Amino acid sequence: MRFFYAVVSVCLVFSGCKTMEESPQKHGAFTRHYESSLFQVTKMGMFSVEMVVREHDLRTGVNTVDLILHDKNDKDVIGARIEVTPWMPDMGHGVFEKPSVKEKGGGLYTVENIILTMSGRWELRVSVTADGMKDSAAFDFPDVKVDRGHDHKMVESPTDLDLSTEKLTEHGEFRVSYKSSAAPVPINMIHTWQVRLKTPDGSSVSGAHISLDGDMPEHGHGLPTEPEVSEGVEQGLYLVEGIKFSMPGWWVMKFNIKSANKADSVTFNLLLKE
Amino acid sequence: MNKGNRLIKSIYTTLLIALIMLLMPAISWSLDLHTWSEDEKAVLRSLWIGSLPPLPEDPSNKYSADPKAADLGRKLFFDSRLSGNLKVSCATCHPSNMNFADSLPLAHGIGTTTRRTMPLIGTAYSTWLFWDGRKDSLWAQALGPIESPVEHGFTRTQCASVIMEHYKKEYSEIFGPLPDFSERDLPLQAKPSADEPVALKAWITLPREKREAITGVYANMGKAIAAFVGTIVPTPSRFDLYAEAALRGNPSAMLAAMTNDEVKGLRLFIGKAKCTNCHSGPLFTNGGFHNVGVPQPEKLPPDSGRSDAIAKVLADEFNCLGIYSDAKRSDCAELRFMDTATYKYFGAFKTPTLRNVAERAPYMHAGQIPSLRKVLEFYRDLKPGQRAADLEHGDLTDPELEQLDAFLRTLSSPLKFAE
């Protein structure tokens, strides 16, 4: 029963999958419990593994899946050691970052940080060690597609982009402006921005923590550098070093700002031309 | 008198109008093709060789603009005594009579490497060197192949011996006196190579001062070679003549520089086919790393490209922040702010220059594709959904591929370098 709740809650939250408790499918000694899961019996027939892919589809980038394990007697497999290896059979390589597996109870395991580095055919190889037995299964994903955007789907450029270099943050907590050390903002040249941070009524804000996320929404990639933000000598002045734009087009620069008592963010649009 | 003048004038005017009317179809047709908007002109200007800044000085190599260093570098570049079998020089894979790039799919020195020889055109302008960018300067790059067992198969101790024996005077005129090395200080097979335990042991058992002195000489050799290689630049190509004529508004020079098909190819290149996403600037490269999905040849081991090189360049003893570099910390922005998210660069390789691209088959990082036409077909035939958004090239037709092919051939020109 515990297992049932665990899976139902996962299904409700993430994928809306339908349980098949009323009409279970038999696979030899094993039972398939979930309609939207991918079902495999391990190679030596010790366990069944059901995989539920969140967002319905693996994509390039970071993915999460849920695994539900049963043994031959249709009992939840508890306390298993599970390793998941993403593998590209046609290219003969895997990835550097290991996915992390967390046991959620009731035979449910969540596998996070599955980083697929390119499009094409992938396998998720699952090895299960439980009750002194070791067995494995491989799930085939013949056509993993490019994720359009590192945090989002690919977005078409709006026709009326707000290109202003001074803005109020989203919730009106700060007024932010930037000035590039090279004007117009250059392509393929590393440069520095000066960012001024003020309260909405115009007094300078020092000591804030600012982080930056640069992105090309139509292309789904970010900056080719890791810029660093440091506080300048003047009150409310911050330096962003190491900014580089690798191609012409629409870029967005999102600043996340945290001061002693407020947090907010602001997004600037840039339309870069050769 | 007045009347006569007027008559002549009106005859001229009539003749002129007749001439214009005669030429009208031809002119109006080519006007479309050869008329560029202000935005398009800005792109033409950015690709034009006139936008290439003067040769930049490399802050990590204070000899990069020294003609004496370039002179020594040129000799070292062609010197096959700098190899294990006395047959391999830099010019083996970078022959000067072939645009400094051989025509093999995989570079071949003492053995065969796993990648295609890279072009040396305009490398002084490169931020990252090699296909995977595992070096951050031209001088650091020049030192890689010399100690590679499949390229020169040589060692820095042997290099110091060659400098002592053959280049002592020139070396000391540029870099100051050559350190005193006895024969014992320069064992033949000694280098800090993690793959060659015998040579590594011989190297680390040398006294530390000797190792630093030897590596100092080796670094200077790289700096001299870089001073020479950095002078290799393109000269104006037919495209440049066209772009310059377009920017100056000189239609006859435009028509003389490129054929209509080539100009159609240029329009595609900067427009529908979006080649300038990556092939931008006067060297036709953004210097960035992209996984374009070109399959790795079966006989070669998998190649992770840039993602494997990120730690290598950070750990490189010859990088911008290392003790052999002449740069200040503030000169090393590219290294300090380098993107370390390795997973983004799996299988990514550097965008190569397209200058002289037609002279340089086969193509891609392991010479997988034999012709320009096939490269264009490869990009066109990438399946939607399996290509990055940077690689959306529109639905190019066969004739359009031919026009692009024709345009790419206008980027050829003789190279200029310090002789």
Side-chain angles (χ1 to χ4, degrees):
Chain A
M1 211 48 195
R2 214 154 41 110
F3 151 78
F4 176 77
Y5 286 130
V7 169
V8 164
S9 67
V10 162
C11 288
L12 284 178
V13 173
F14 299 109
S15 49
C17 65
K18 208 158 79 188
T19 71
M20 297 171 66
E21 294 278 315
E22 282 159 30
S23 56
Q25 281 179 339
K26 285 284 179 193
H27 290 259
F30 294 99
T31 306
R32 178 180 177 172
H33 294 262
Y34 297 95
E35 199 175 87
S36 63
S37 74
L38 305 163
F39 180 90
Q40 293 270 335
V41 174
T42 52
K43 283 181 190 144
M44 292 183 288
M46 292 171 184
F47 311 104
S48 73
V49 183
E50 288 182 65
M51 180 181 287
V52 179
V53 181
R54 297 198 183 169
E55 317 290 341
H56 302 294
D57 224 355
L58 288 187
R59 290 268 166 176
T60 60
V62 186
N63 296 269
T64 302
V65 303
D66 292 301
L67 299 176
I68 302 116
L69 269 68
H70 288 92
D71 66 11
K72 272 186 205 160
N73 306 318
D74 205 21
K75 277 215 183 105
D76 310 341
V77 179
I78 315 250
R81 198 161 62 80
I82 294 180
E83 271 185 47
V84 176
T85 311
W87 189 254
M88 280 203 103
D90 302 335
M91 315 282 272
H93 64 68
V95 296
F96 302 100
E97 308 251 353
K98 263 198 171 173
S100 64
V101 182
K102 284 182 199 140
E103 182 167 6
K104 294 292 171 78
L108 172 71
Y109 299 80
T110 296
V111 188
E112 288 172 329
N113 204 34
I114 301 170
I115 298 177
L116 305 185
T117 47
M118 60 196 295
S119 60
R121 179 181 218 109
W122 283 88
E123 269 175 28
L124 290 186
R125 299 181 170 178
V126 181
S127 109
V128 181
T129 313
D131 304 328
M133 296 184 294
K134 190 173 178 184
D135 207 348
S136 65
F139 291 83
D140 188 28
F141 297 88
D143 189 17
V144 170
K145 293 196 162 49
V146 173
D147 186 16
R148 308 284 181 166
H150 59 278
D151 290 315
H152 52 72
K153 300 285 172 222
M154 192 166 92
V155 182
E156 290 286 323
S157 144
T159 45
D160 51 345
L161 275 178
D162 174 4
L163 299 173
S164 50
T165 60
E166 178 170 345
K167 279 183 170 180
L168 269 181
T169 50
E170 240 166 86
H171 302 292
E173 304 282 14
F174 305 103
R175 179 171 293 281
V176 187
S177 64
Y178 75 86
K179 202 176 147 219
S180 166
S181 63
V185 174
I187 294 169
N188 274 327
M189 194 177 105
I190 211 158
H191 63 286
T192 302
W193 282 13
Q194 287 191 351
V195 171
R196 276 190 191 281
L197 185 62
K198 294 179 177 170
T199 58
D201 56 22
S203 43
S204 297
V205 180
S206 322
H209 178 80
I210 301 181
S211 68
L212 165 68
D213 187 17
D215 185 38
M216 215 179 178
E218 292 166 297
H219 292 223
H221 61 68
L223 300 171
T225 54
E226 288 170 352
E228 278 174 23
V229 187
S230 58
E231 242 185 303
V233 277
E234 265 175 70
Q235 282 254 317
L237 182 71
Y238 299 79
L239 288 182
V240 189
E241 294 176 274
I243 295 176
K244 189 177 186 177
F245 299 100
S246 49
M247 50 185 77
W250 174 36
W251 289 85
V252 296
M253 294 285 265
K254 183 177 182 189
F255 290 94
N256 301 300
I257 302 156
K258 235 190 242 169
S259 72
N261 49 5
K262 287 184 174 125
D264 207 347
S265 63
V266 64
T267 303
F268 293 104
N269 292 298
L270 291 96
L271 203 52
L272 299 188
K273 286 182 186 173
E274 291 283 358
Chain B
M1 210 47 186
N2 240 344
K3 253 186 191 172
N5 259 351
R6 226 179 281 155
L7 184 67
I8 290 167
K9 228 177 177 178
S10 73
I11 289 172
Y12 268 131
T13 315
T14 317
L15 273 175
L16 201 65
I17 290 171
L19 192 70
I20 288 172
M21 284 180 69
L22 258 172
L23 291 177
M24 206 55 159
I27 289 175
S28 65
W29 182 81
S30 53
L31 265 183
D32 262 0
L33 183 62
H34 294 278
T35 306
W36 301 90
S37 70
E38 285 311 308
D39 276 359
E40 287 167 338
K41 276 188 192 163
V43 178
L44 292 184
R45 180 183 296 280
S46 73
L47 296 170
W48 173 47
I49 199 167
S51 300
L52 194 64
L55 272 180
E57 284 190 34
D58 174 0
S60 73
N61 175 6
K62 61 182 173 192
Y63 310 98
S64 61
D66 179 344
K68 275 188 176 170
D71 199 38
L72 172 61
R74 195 188 66 252
K75 291 176 189 161
L76 296 171
F77 186 89
F78 292 100
D79 192 341
S80 51
R81 287 175 300 206
L82 296 170
S83 66
N85 63 1
L86 301 176
K87 286 180 185 160
V88 178
S89 71
C90 305
T92 303
C93 297
H94 300 285
S96 56
N97 60 349
M98 292 175 68
N99 283 299
F100 293 96
D102 61 30
S103 51
L104 300 167
L106 300 174
H108 190 87
I110 280 188
T112 304
T113 73
T114 55
R115 299 217 182 116
R116 167 93 177 95
T117 299
M118 292 208 81
L120 296 187
I121 305 169
T123 42
Y125 298 90
S126 291
T127 301
W128 307 110
L129 285 293
F130 285 127
W131 280 108
D132 56 9
R134 65 184 180 277
K135 296 285 184 173
D136 68 341
S137 73
L138 193 48
W139 67 271
Q141 182 280 325
L143 297 173
I146 296 176
E147 288 194 325
S148 155
V150 287
E151 296 178 64
H152 293 240
F154 217 46
T155 65
R156 58 190 69 186
T157 48
Q158 289 170 305
C159 283
S161 300
V162 171
I163 295 283
M164 245 169 58
E165 204 175 321
H166 303 286
Y167 296 104
K168 193 167 183 175
K169 185 164 170 285
E170 285 165 279
Y171 179 95
S172 26
E173 277 173 19
I174 303 161
F175 303 107
L178 193 65
D180 270 327
F181 296 119
S182 70
E183 220 170 282
R184 268 190 55 206
D185 299 333
L186 301 173
L188 286 179
Q189 293 300 326
K191 56 182 161 183
S193 162
D195 304 323
E196 294 161 87
V198 176
L200 180 58
K201 189 172 154 199
W203 174 251
I204 61 119
T205 48
L206 285 172
R208 204 181 106 185
E209 325 74 80
K210 295 290 179 195
R211 274 184 273 146
E212 282 180 10
I214 293 163
T215 304
V217 173
Y218 190 51
N220 285 338
M221 252 182 70
K223 289 176 183 177
I225 295 172
F228 165 65
V229 174
T231 66
I232 304 171
V233 289
T235 57
S237 66
R238 287 199 293 120
F239 159 73
D240 298 302
L241 301 181
Y242 182 88
E244 190 176 348
L247 294 171
R248 300 219 163 124
N250 181 346
S252 61
M254 285 165 79
L255 291 172
M258 276 167 64
T259 68
N260 285 341
D261 264 355
E262 290 163 350
V263 177
K264 284 179 197 165
L266 167 59
R267 278 204 181 275
L268 291 166
F269 188 89
I270 69 170
K272 175 178 168 185
K274 296 184 181 165
C275 307
T276 45
N277 273 353
C278 297
H279 293 287
S280 56
L283 291 171
F284 289 79
T285 171
N286 62 357
F289 301 92
H290 307 277
N291 181 340
V292 297
V294 60
Q296 181 72 352
E298 266 174 39
K299 58 180 197 287
L300 291 182
D303 194 336
S304 342
R306 177 63 175 166
S307 71
D308 254 7
I310 289 170
K312 282 185 191 162
V313 67
L314 288 169
D316 183 22
E317 61 182 325
F318 300 123
N319 73 22
C320 189
L321 295 165
I323 58 169
Y324 301 101
S325 158
D326 303 316
K328 296 193 297 281
R329 188 173 179 275
S330 57
D331 295 323
C332 303
E334 292 282 0
L335 192 65
R336 285 167 58 211
F337 302 113
M338 181 178 71
D339 192 0
T340 52
T342 49
Y343 76 89
K344 286 201 254 169
Y345 299 96
F346 193 87
F349 295 92
K350 193 168 93 166
T351 312
T353 176
L354 295 184
R355 293 266 170 198
N356 281 18
V357 67
E359 322 302 317
R360 208 172 59 228
Y363 300 101
M364 314 317 243
H365 70 270
Q368 292 98 320
I369 306 187
S371 68
L372 266 188
R373 170 66 190 221
K374 288 255 189 300
V375 173
L376 294 168
E377 284 171 8
F378 164 79
Y379 280 121
R380 177 185 64 183
D381 298 342
L382 282 173
K383 288 192 203 92
Q386 294 213 343
R387 64 185 172 210
D390 297 336
L391 291 172
E392 297 293 344
H393 291 296
D395 292 316
L396 295 167
T397 63
D398 276 352
E400 285 176 329
L401 289 196
E402 249 156 61
Q403 291 158 0
L404 276 168
D405 190 312
F407 163 65
L408 290 172
R409 289 168 197 281
T410 69
L411 298 177
S412 292
S413 68
L415 299 178
K416 203 170 72 179
F417 53 94
E419 303 242 19

